[in-house]
Amino acid sequence: MPADSSPALYPQVLLRNVRIVSVGGVPASDVPVDVRMRGGRIVGLAPSLAADASDQDVHDGEGRWAIPGLWDHHVHLAQWADTLARVDMTGTRSADEVLTRLRAHLDELPGSDRDSVVIGFGHRSATWPRQPTVAELDAVSGQHLVVLVSGDGHNGWLNSAALTMLGAPATEGALAENDWFPVWGRLADLPGSREARDTAYRLAVSRAAAMGIVGVGDMEFGAGFRDWPPRFAGGIRDLKVRVATYPDGLDAVLAAGLRSGDILGDSGGLVRMGPLKIISDGSLNTRTAYCDEPYAGGSGLAYPCGLANYPASELTELAARATKAGLRLAIHAIGDAAVAQALDVFEATGATGTIEHAQLMRRADITRMAQLGVGASVQPAHLLDDRDVTAQCWPDRTDRCFPLRSMVDAGVAVLLGSDAPVSVLDPWLAMAAAVHRSADEREPWNDAEALTVEQALAASTDRQPTLGVGSRADVVLLDADPLVPPHPVGSVHLAGSVNPAGSAADSAPSAAAAQRLRAMPVGATYVGGRRTHRA
């Protein structure tokens, strides 16, 4: 048994009668098999395995289809948990609509909550006819502290009371980028926030397990490497977690002697140190993503081409320090100039890791990314939200946005995620968006960049191929084969095969394939052999 395993975290389980789905081009068995999991690994896989005294549990898979556990490689888990109890501002088209929705929420609060903290989430102001002001938020918020977090997380609209409480810089409008991020990180210090967060975490983790998620890259702000061990000890342990740090926490991580991959606390290897996360530019919706060419209609913008959050020299210095200490990098880069700058840093320092988002890219940088061995941690559901604002802000470069297929074809290691709460934590939505690239009746957006279902699935399993002996005991059982049109559990069908009707649909953008993915029924989820969800 591996040194980082324990019977409680990595039980010995015999899983009977499952069909193995081919993932990553590795062939699968064409008959139902039994799977034995011990010490966090699959140690046996055959058409029939005899139960023995060491098997703690024997589970019947009932003919379901088995895939490696799904990962969301980019989550802000605390913020995602928090949004489950926040005022929903998604879909608002103006500051006035937000204020109307806020006023209605305040009117419904009971008398005992009249002075409470109100946090909203989801507005996107890039296309609004005018930008919001603190004064108009003050006019409707009364005694409340009000914080409205944008849907992409790159700005916050606060009233005066909240600005004062959180020690934010004076502003007439919304806070953005480096003025906003430290304030965002202090929301956990508001009255009542810590008490509510534990409950919210448990709910968020439970929902993730129900969708087949076994692990996340937690890109949350703060000292996650310190916060996660007690959280795990408190019972939040149904996910594997890789915990990022940010530049303001780098000294503390280096002082602790932590390297990417190191086990944190007594988690038995379920919680590990992740990368150094650097936010090198802004976002499209705030028109701060750093681009080679100006934004359309951006003559009045303070930064017509967006904004680099770090000079190249400072970014290189950060990367070099982290790399020397054994930390991988996760560099947020959305605009094409930011992606190019990030690749320069990887090349100059010999760093390993990923570019987070890679939303707009020069074609030559796709090839360079593959040559450097830099991965792409991407969030396909963002393209559903950003389609219209891209047409408004980047109408001359839409063909280079979300170049998923080009990256896969070039040999870039593409990893799917959500950036929750910017998009919902749902791997099946991410896969569907990558495959179909449309959320409505319109034709797929730039369908040459769509992935096949096979490619999208392979990008969602943390680079784990078809289950076999030696695989991680992170397993998801599905009531349908994700690679082909649905078949009922128990019907005669060879896992991994593609029928004529399904092959054409799965090799091109397909609304039908996307619908199948969005409705994919998860029967059970196992993390290290321990069942974390059962339908």
Side-chain angles (χ1 to χ4, degrees), residues 97-429:
E97 284 194 14
V98 170
L99 295 171
T100 298
R101 198 175 292 187
L102 174 64
R103 188 180 295 109
H105 174 78
L106 296 179
D107 288 344
E108 293 175 357
L109 290 177
S112 59
D113 290 338
R114 289 299 179 184
D115 297 330
S116 63
V117 177
V118 175
I119 302 179
F121 177 82
H123 69 276
R124 295 174 182 267
S125 59
T127 58
W128 288 0
R130 62 175 179 80
Q131 292 304 296
T133 67
V134 173
E136 62 186 330
L137 192 55
D138 287 344
V140 302
S141 56
Q143 300 300 308
H144 297 278
L145 276 72
V146 176
V147 180
L148 304 179
V149 183
S150 68
D152 62 9
H154 281 257
N155 70 49
W157 182 14
L158 286 68
N159 68 354
S160 295
L163 289 168
T164 300
M165 171 68 76
L166 292 166
T171 180
E172 294 182 357
L175 296 171
E177 302 304 329
N178 287 345
D179 286 337
W180 159 240
F181 292 136
V183 177
W184 196 7
R186 291 195 287 272
L187 294 187
D189 297 327
L190 290 172
S193 295
R194 294 193 182 278
E195 293 79 5
R197 179 161 282 179
D198 185 66
T199 298
Y201 258 113
R202 293 177 188 278
L203 176 60
V205 169
S206 175
R207 289 187 179 182
M211 289 183 285
I213 295 176
V214 301
V216 298
D218 191 7
M219 303 293 176
E220 193 56 79
F221 298 106
F225 74 98
R226 292 196 186 105
D227 295 339
W228 262 106
R231 191 175 294 144
F232 181 89
I236 301 174
R237 53 179 60 183
D238 285 350
L239 289 177
K240 293 183 173 180
V241 182
R242 295 178 188 141
V243 184
T245 190
Y246 283 77
D248 62 356
L250 180 58
D251 287 344
V253 169
L254 298 186
L258 292 171
R259 303 167 62 91
S260 294
D262 285 354
I263 297 172
L264 298 180
D266 297 323
S267 66
L270 294 182
V271 182
R272 295 177 181 267
M273 189 66 220
L276 170 66
K277 168 76 181 297
I278 306 173
I279 303 177
S280 77
D281 72 339
S283 71
L284 169 62
N285 281 275
T286 53
R287 300 189 184 219
T288 50
Y290 183 37
C291 301
D292 289 327
E293 293 89 26
Y295 286 69
S299 58
L301 296 175
Y303 305 99
C305 292
L307 179 65
N309 290 332
Y310 294 89
S313 59
E314 186 176 348
L315 195 60
T316 302
E317 181 183 358
L318 275 171
R321 286 185 65 207
T323 300
K324 183 178 179 180
L327 291 174
R328 292 169 59 83
L329 298 184
I331 301 182
H332 162 122
I334 287 181
D336 50 2
V339 173
Q341 182 188 54
L343 290 175
D344 290 343
V345 168
F346 276 105
E347 187 168 10
T349 63
T352 59
T354 57
I355 289 179
E356 306 293 313
H357 310 306
Q359 187 164 335
L360 173 67
M361 294 186 67
R362 305 170 187 171
R363 290 291 176 186
D365 280 338
I366 295 174
T367 301
R368 186 159 69 117
M369 195 172 183
Q371 292 171 340
L372 291 171
V374 177
S377 174
V378 299
Q379 300 75 40
H382 288 358
L383 68 87
L384 306 179
D385 297 324
D386 287 353
R387 181 173 187 167
D388 293 330
V389 71
T390 298
Q392 179 173 330
C393 294
W394 295 339
D396 55 340
R397 61 205 93 162
T398 59
D399 62 313
R400 296 187 285 117
C401 291
F402 299 96
L404 306 182
R405 184 61 175 265
S406 292
M407 286 192 285
V408 169
D409 288 348
V412 175
V414 173
L415 307 170
L416 302 192
S418 65
D419 199 13
V422 181
S423 177
V424 298
L425 203 167
D426 182 346
W428 302 103
L429 171 61

Side-chain angles (χ1 to χ4, degrees), residues 492-509:
V492 177
H493 172 65
L494 302 182
S497 67
V498 181
N499 66 21
S503 59
D506 287 343
S507 63

